């Protein structure tokens, strides 16, 4: 089971995940997934399935598509078809999973063959497969897949390099060069086609458009802001993604962020902190409205212990840090 799973339009993607694209997953999640994988290999399928579920719980019942697939295998072998189908349906309907041959050759799913849900599931996978084959924008989709990978490559590399390391400067330089190159491509695509949804270019393609603009300069963001706002209204861009853009633009314009998505680092104290935030008391209400998890859960990735009252006391000093940094 644990070979690389071939997704037609994507390989490993967050399933309806509210985390910023490219951010590292919480250690709690990755450690539990590793444990579940080990239990599966040891053929302890019931315990493996339960640990997969606890991992998803740490992300607000979300998880990587690949992990969802593995969980489905585990649940099927544990004799729980309901949970197996639940996970399979999630990746088929939300991630457009389309590897028909992979599923029908998966020995873990033999116990599902006589279930009335099996054949309809296969039909959904076939439908996804046909959509991929008939996609008139396949070359564009492939180009955006490459852009997505290139955008994430150096950012993932930075996750493995300590903040104090001199190697980070070289990586930042390579990342800036690649971002500039990708931006020229995405500008051409957007000016020619407008904002394209997942139904046309897949999740990674849609993510690539957002990521490149999110990582662009403020002037570029302001140019494409109206287009992205319209894309939210038409369902071609997630509200959660647009919220991240709004936060980044607000800080660059000298304003406070709205959703608390932007994290900065105090190099002297060697700690991370939430950049200046508007109306901290109601931030979780605003985050919930756009599909983002509570702030206290989000900031755990940076080992930040969210204390609302303490943050409000620290806010003047944080705002001063921001002003000094942007001078």
């Amino acid at each position: 089971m644990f070979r690389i799973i071939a997704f037609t339009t994507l390989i490993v993607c967050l399933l309806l995940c509210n985390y910023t694209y490219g951010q590292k997953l919480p250690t709690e999640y990755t450690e539990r997934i590793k444990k579940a994988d080990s239990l599966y290999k040891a053929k302890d399928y019931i315990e493996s399935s339960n640990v997969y579920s606890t991992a998803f719980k740490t992300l607000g019942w979300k998880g990587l598509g690949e992990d969802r697939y593995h969980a489905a295998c585990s649940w099927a072998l544990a004799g729980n078809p309901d949970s197996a189908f639940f996970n399979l349906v999630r990746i088929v309907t939300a991630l457009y999973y389309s590897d028909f041959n992979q599923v029908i050759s998966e020995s873990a799913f033999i116990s599902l063959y006589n279930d009335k849900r099996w054949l309809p599931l296969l039909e959904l996978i076939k439908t996804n497969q046909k959509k991929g084959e008939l996609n008139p924008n396949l070359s564009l989709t492939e180009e955006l897949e490459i852009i997505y990978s290139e955008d994430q490559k150096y950012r993932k590399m930075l996750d493995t390099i300590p903040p104090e390391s001199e190697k980070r400067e070289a990586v930042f330089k390579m990342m800036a060069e690649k971002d500039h190159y990708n931006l020229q491509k995405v500008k051409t695509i957007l000016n020619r086609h407008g904002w394209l949804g997942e139904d046309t270019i897949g999740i990674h393609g849609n993510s690539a458009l957002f990521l490149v603009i999110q990582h662009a300069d403020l002037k570029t963001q302001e140019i494409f802001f109206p287009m992205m706002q319209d894309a939210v209204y038409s369902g071609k861009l997630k509200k959660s993604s647009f919220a991240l853009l709004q936060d980044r633009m607000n800080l660059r314009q000298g304003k406070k962020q709205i959703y608390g998505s932007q994290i900065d680092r105090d190099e002297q104290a060697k700690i991370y902190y939430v950049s200046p935030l508007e109306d901290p008391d109601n931030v979780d209400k605003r985050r919930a409205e756009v599909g983002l998890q509570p702030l206290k859960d989000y900031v755990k990735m940076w080992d930040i212990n969210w204390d609302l009252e303490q943050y409000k006391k620290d806010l003047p000093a944080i705002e001063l840090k921001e002003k000094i940094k942007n001078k």
Side-chain angles (χ1 to χ4, degrees), residues 163-164 263-275 299 301-305 310 314 318 321:
E164 299 81 11
I263 308 298
D264 212 331
R265 177 177 166 85
D266 186 321
E267 295 300 338
Q268 290 185 333
K270 300 187 187 306
I271 59 172
Y272 291 95
Y273 61 89
V274 178
S275 297
V299 299
M301 288 186 286
W302 295 272
D303 296 322
I304 298 174
N305 182 24
Q310 185 61 47
D314 295 340
I318 292 174
K321 284 182 188 178

Side-chain angles (χ1 to χ4, degrees), residues 310-326:
Q310 185 61 47
Y311 180 80
K312 289 192 288 186
K313 292 178 183 178
D314 295 340
L315 188 54
I318 292 174
E319 290 182 81
L320 181 60
K321 284 182 188 178
E322 195 73 18
K323 288 180 180 178
I324 294 174
K325 185 185 72 171
N326 292 330

Side-chain angles (χ1 to χ4, degrees), residues 47-108:
E47 186 60 24
S48 172
S49 301
N50 289 329
V51 176
Y52 275 122
S53 292
T54 62
F56 300 146
K57 186 177 180 180
T58 66
L59 290 185
W61 299 109
K62 302 172 182 69
L64 291 175
E66 184 179 26
D67 297 335
R68 284 281 183 191
Y69 183 96
H70 292 164
C73 291
S74 194
W75 279 117
L77 290 169
N80 189 324
D82 290 343
S83 294
F85 276 108
F86 174 80
N87 283 285
L88 284 171
V89 169
R90 291 290 291 271
I91 63 173
V92 170
T93 58
L95 296 182
Y96 305 106
Y97 178 80
S98 60
D99 195 338
F100 182 80
N101 292 330
Q102 171 75 31
V103 172
I104 62 172
S105 64
E106 183 63 69
S107 60

Side-chain angles (χ1 to χ4, degrees), residues 87-223:
N87 283 285
L88 284 171
V89 169
R90 291 290 291 271
I91 63 173
V92 170
T93 58
L95 296 182
Y96 305 106
Y97 178 80
S98 60
D99 195 338
F100 182 80
N101 292 330
Q102 171 75 31
V103 172
I104 62 172
S105 64
E106 183 63 69
S107 60
F109 297 148
I110 292 175
S111 63
L112 305 180
Y113 288 180
N114 293 326
D115 192 292
K116 63 181 181 181
R117 292 167 288 188
W118 180 247
L119 292 180
L121 178 72
L122 294 183
E123 288 303 314
L124 285 174
I125 296 172
K126 283 184 179 179
T127 298
N128 288 344
Q129 193 175 54
K130 290 178 180 178
K131 285 181 178 179
E133 292 170 352
L134 298 174
N135 188 347
N137 296 304
L138 185 57
S139 60
L140 180 58
T141 301
E142 290 175 334
E143 183 177 8
L144 285 167
E145 283 277 355
I146 294 172
I147 291 174
Y148 175 88
S149 297
E150 291 177 340
D151 179 275
Q152 295 298 286
K153 178 180 178 180
Y154 298 107
R155 289 173 171 83
K156 289 179 180 178
M157 197 180 296
L158 286 171
D159 285 341
T160 67
I161 304 175
E164 299 81 11
S165 175
E166 295 179 357
K167 294 180 180 179
R168 293 179 70 85
E169 185 176 348
V171 176
F172 272 119
K173 182 179 179 181
M174 291 186 289
M175 184 173 72
E177 291 175 354
K178 185 57 65 175
D179 284 353
H180 176 76
Y181 182 67
N182 285 340
L183 180 58
Q184 305 316 307
K185 287 185 175 181
V186 166
K187 280 183 177 179
T188 299
I189 292 171
L190 293 178
N191 289 330
R192 183 178 301 168
H193 302 282
W195 199 273
L196 301 169
E198 293 177 3
D199 58 334
T200 303
I201 53 175
I203 291 180
H204 273 186
N206 183 257
S207 297
L209 295 179
F210 165 72
L211 286 169
V212 171
I213 299 301
Q214 175 75 345
H215 297 150
D217 57 280
L218 177 59
K219 183 178 179 180
T220 298
Q221 291 175 336
E222 290 174 338
I223 290 172

Side-chain angles (χ1 to χ4, degrees), residues 39-52:
L39 288 166
Y40 183 93
K41 291 175 182 177
K43 298 185 179 181
D44 188 349
Y45 303 123
I46 294 177
E47 186 60 24
S48 172
S49 301
N50 289 329
V51 176
Y52 275 122

